[in-house]
Amino acid sequence: MKIVVLVKQVFDKDSNINVSGDGVLTNREDLTLSTNESDAYALEEALQIKEKNGGEVIVVSVGNDSVLTVIKDGLAKGADRGLHVKIDNEESLDALDLAKLIHASIKDENIDMVLSGLQSDDKGNGQTGILLAELMNLSHASLVMGTEIQDDNSIRVKRELEGGWFQWTDLSLPTSLTIQSGINKPRYSSLRGIMMMKKKPIDVKSAEDLGFTALQKSKVMKMYIPEKTKETVYIEGSVNEIVDQLMDKFANEIKIF
Amino acid sequence: MSILVFIQQENGKINRLSLEAITGAQQLGAKLNQPVTACVFDENSANELKSYKLDKIVCINDSQLVEYNPITFANVMEQIISNENSTLIIAGHTYEARDWIPRLSARLDLPFVSDCTGFKTDPNFVVIRSIYQGKISSDVSIENNNGFISFQSGSFRADEIQVGSCEVIQVSVDLSQSTDLVRPGEKFQEATGAVDLSRAKIIVSVGRGIGKEENLPIAEELAKSLNAEIGASRPVVDYGWLPHERQVGSSGQTVIPKMYLALGISGAVQHQVGMKGSDCIVAINKDPNAPIFEIADYGIVEDLFEIVPKLTEKLNAR
Ligand SMILES: Cc1cc2nc3c(=O)[nH]c(=O)nc-3n(C[C@H](O)[C@H](O)[C@H](O)COP(=O)(O)OP(=O)(O)OC[C@H]3O[C@@H](n4cnc5c(N)ncnc54)[C@H](O)[C@@H]3O)c2cc1C
C-alpha cells in the first residue's frame, strides 16, 4: 500500500487569535503552531495500515518552510518520506485551489490511498480529501472511524453518522479517506524515530515548478471578531468573591438547590 | 440564473437543516432577485414542499436514490444543476452534504463555501463563515455568485419559511453512468451504556481544558457536590478519558439540563448544538474570546483549577 497523508500546520487551539479592524491577524508571531488535530489521527491510521499490510507512507504538507516541522514530526513517527509543497500564501487559497495544488504535486505517484483529517482547525472547510478524490478519480469516504483492508482492490471503513450512528462502507481502491478524531491513539515519536527521521528524504516542489496558479473562486473579503448575540453576565473578582457570587446565583437565580 | 436548494430527507421526512436552508434560499432569492427551485429525491417530501413559497419543485424518484451514495448523488445533482441552469446551490451542512458536494465542486470547478452561518448582500453578496474554531468570523465572496453553499444548523429558522403554493415536477435522470466505487452498507449504533444525559437536571461538562486524565476527579467531585452528571466534549472522549456515552454534541448526546456547567470547553459549534438548549449555561474558561461565552448566561474568565476546587469546598460546607 502506498499511502499519502496530508498534514496541515495550524495555530494551536489555545492561541488567542485576534484581528485588527482591517481584518488581518494581528498577533501571528505570538501564536504557537501545531499539527491539525484530525491529521494526526490520519497519520496514525496510515502508519497502522502500513504496519499491518506493508507499504510506504508519504507525508505531504503545503505551506512555507515552517511546515517542515509537521513533515519531520510525521517522519519521526514512522512515515517513510516527506513532500513539501512550497507556497508562501497558503492561507489565501480556497479549498478548490488547495486541492488542485496537492493534486499537481502527487499525481505522478501511483497511490493506493490518500488519508487526511476531516477538517482543519483553522478554516474548517472540510473538503480537501474529497475534492482530491474527484480530481484523481478515486473513491472516497468521509468521517472515517475505522479501516479494514479487504484485499488488493477494496477496503471497508466505518463511517460516523450523526447522533451516535455509524455505517460500514466498502470502497474500491485507490481511495481517499478523511479521518475523524478518536479513530485511534496517535503515537509519540521515539528518540530512535527522531534519529531516523534525519536520514529520511523530504522532496520539495514549489507551486511555480508545478505550474500552479490560484483562481480564488471563493475569497475571504474580511475577518472580524464575531458579534455577541447573548448577554453574558460575567462574574468577576477574587477567587473567593467569584465562588460566593456563583453560590448566590445557584441558589437565587438558577435555583438548583 | 437561479437558486437551487437541495432537500435531504430520511424516510420521507425532510431534514431539519434542509428546512432551515429553504428559509435561507428564500431570503437570498428575494435579495438577489432570483427564482428558487427545490430539488428532492422523495415523493412525500416533495408534497410537503408544495405549501412553501418556491418557484419550482423538482422531484427525482428513483430506487437508486433511496439510500445515500455520494457518487450517485453527485451524478444526479450534476444533471439537475445543468438542466435548471442553477448558479447558487444551497444545502444544510449535514454529514451527507459535506460528503457529496465537494465531489461536484471539483467536477464542475465551482467553489463550495461550507458551514456558513448567514449572508450579506450590502454592498455585495458574501456568505459568513466562522473560522479558527469560532473565534473569528469571515465574509467570503463567490466568483460570479456561482457555486455551492452549505448552512450550519441554526443559521436560519425553519419556522420562518414563507408559505405559498408550488407544483411538483417529476424529472428522470440518467443513472447508467453510476459506478460502484462506493458501496454503503448497514447502519448501526454501538452498544450504549446506562447513561442518559438527556434527562440530567444538572451537568458538569469537561473539555480539553481539564488538561489530563488525572485532573478529572476535580470535575467529578464538583459534580458529586451538585448531584450532577458528568458530560464531556469530544476530545476528552477521543483521548479515552471518559466513555462515549458522556459526549455532548453533534456526534454525541443532546442535553437540556436546568444548568450546564462547562469547564474548559471552547464551545465549538459541534459541541454547542448538543447543549445550547440548556436552561442556563455557566462557562468557566480562561480565554475571554472562547465562543462558549457567546451562548453562556454566566461567564467566568478564570483558570478552572482555581475556581472549581473552591466551589466544591463551599458546596460541601453548605
Ligand atoms: C464532524 C464533527 C463532529 C464533532 N462532534 C463533536 C461532538 O459531538 N461534541 C464535541 O464536543 N465536539 C465535537 N466535535 C469537535 C469540535 O469541533 C471541537 O474540536 C471540540 O468540541 C473541542 O473540544 P474542547 O472545547 O474541549 O477543546 P478546545 O477547543 O481545545 O478548548 C479547550 C478550552 O479550554 C480552555 N482552557 C484550557 N485550560 C484551561 C484552564 N486551566 N481553565 C479554564 N479554561 C481552560 C481553553 O481556553 C479552550 O477554550 C466535532 C467535530 C467535527 C468536525
Side-chain angles (χ1 to χ4, degrees), chain A residues 160-164, chain B residues 95 247-253 269-271 273-274:
Chain A
E160 177 180 300
L161 308 179
E162 279 134 327
Chain B
Y95 274 34
Q247 184 177 315
V248 174
S250 61
S251 48
Q253 299 205 42
V269 57
Q270 295 88 356
H271 188 78
V273 296

Side-chain angles (χ1 to χ4, degrees), chain A residues 159-173:
Chain A
R159 293 191 62 224
E160 177 180 300
L161 308 179
E162 279 134 327
W165 285 82
F166 296 92
Q167 180 172 36
W168 292 110
T169 296
D170 288 345
L171 305 162
S172 302
L173 292 173

Side-chain angles (χ1 to χ4, degrees), chain B residues 53-167:
Chain B
K53 185 172 181 292
L54 293 163
D55 295 280
K56 194 170 172 184
I57 302 164
V58 173
C59 177
I60 306 104
N61 225 334
D62 193 299
S63 58
Q64 288 190 62
L65 297 174
V66 173
E67 291 296 331
Y68 171 71
N69 183 315
I71 310 281
T72 327
F73 271 42
N75 289 348
V76 171
M77 290 310 291
E78 181 182 6
Q79 295 175 48
I80 299 295
I81 291 164
S82 149
N83 292 349
E84 300 301 322
N85 268 319
S86 314
T87 42
L88 279 176
I89 300 94
I90 295 177
H93 191 70
T94 62
Y95 274 34
E96 286 183 13
R98 63 181 290 160
D99 189 58
W100 68 263
I101 296 178
R103 280 210 89 108
L104 213 44
S105 159
R107 193 179 304 171
L108 302 176
D109 202 22
L110 292 175
F112 171 29
V113 189
S114 56
D115 213 3
C116 299
T117 55
F119 68 83
K120 298 176 191 164
T121 48
D122 188 24
N124 295 314
F125 170 57
V126 287
V127 281
I128 306 165
R129 290 189 81 230
S130 94
I131 50 177
Y132 298 109
Q133 303 281 306
K135 288 176 191 163
I136 307 285
S137 286
S138 64
D139 291 349
V140 182
S141 67
I142 300 174
E143 192 181 78
N144 303 326
N145 292 355
N146 190 4
F148 298 87
I149 303 165
S150 67
F151 285 113
Q152 141 180 141
S153 168
S155 302
F156 298 95
R157 295 182 54 132
D159 58 12
E160 284 176 9
I161 293 186
Q162 291 186 40
V163 294
S165 96
C166 186
E167 284 309 300

Side-chain angles (χ1 to χ4, degrees), chain B residues 16-28:
Chain B
R16 182 180 50 83
L17 268 67
S18 294
L19 292 172
E20 295 177 3
I22 295 175
T23 306
Q26 288 176 334
Q27 293 180 5
L28 189 58

Side-chain angles (χ1 to χ4, degrees), chain A residues 99-110:
Chain A
K100 287 179 189 168
L101 176 58
I102 296 171
H103 178 214
S105 74
I106 61 173
K107 66 176 190 296
D108 296 332
E109 307 260 7
N110 213 347

Side-chain angles (χ1 to χ4, degrees), chain A residues 25-44:
Chain A
L25 296 184
T26 49
N27 54 343
R28 188 178 292 272
E29 298 72 31
D30 313 337
L31 305 175
T32 22
L33 296 162
S34 59
T35 298
N36 183 52
E37 183 173 30
S38 52
D39 299 352
Y41 287 95
L43 172 69
E44 177 62 34

